[in-house]
Amino acid sequence: MTETARRAANLYGQGTPTQEAFERLANRWTMRLTHVLEAGPTRFNDLKKQLGVSSEMLSRVLRDLERDGLVARQVFAEVPVRVEYALTPLGGTMCRPVHAVREWAEQTADDIVAARAAYDRRSQAAEPSS
């Protein structure tokens, strides 16, 4: 194993902080939540509506992000109780990579659709007729 490969294995090996951070950022709900929360504190039900996610999944992702110090949860003693979620300063550092991924997705979406169609045509042509 080369020194570069050894270093990469140490950085991205299972259970390493780097791998865990990468997996957290790569989570589809983390990316979407970051985009929504970038606009400011948001209530749970508003997040749920904007993202089209189940309560259970949203709760899990928000809890994980809060545990990692990326999202802050604030409870307001009102009737009914109001809870808002916001990016922490550390969570705000995710915005730049999320923007870059979103920009890449927007720029390449048509090319990906075209590549899939071409692949599907090739695959269908290669299938033996029954």
Side-chain angles (χ1 to χ4, degrees), residues 5-40:
R6 194 175 355 275
R7 256 184 295 180
N10 289 337
L11 283 176
Y12 295 105
Q14 193 65 23
T16 63
T18 304
Q19 177 63 24
E20 290 175 7
F22 181 77
E23 287 176 3
R24 177 74 61 230
L25 183 61
N27 178 286
R28 75 184 212 173
W29 297 115
T30 298
M31 299 277 278
R32 293 173 182 182
L33 272 167
T34 301
H35 178 71
V36 172
L37 291 176
E38 185 178 15

Side-chain angles (χ1 to χ4, degrees), residues 57-102:
M57 179 57 71
L58 181 56
S59 292
R60 182 180 314 138
V61 173
L62 285 167
R63 190 172 33 252
D64 290 344
L65 292 171
E66 185 179 8
R67 182 173 183 248
D68 288 347
L70 302 170
V71 166
R73 178 179 185 264
Q74 184 172 8
V75 179
F76 296 88
E78 301 173 352
V79 177
V81 173
R82 178 169 53 109
V83 179
E84 289 184 347
Y85 296 88
L87 291 174
T88 64
L90 179 61
T93 64
M94 293 188 300
C95 294
R96 195 165 79 194
V98 167
H99 286 196
V101 171
R102 189 179 71 229

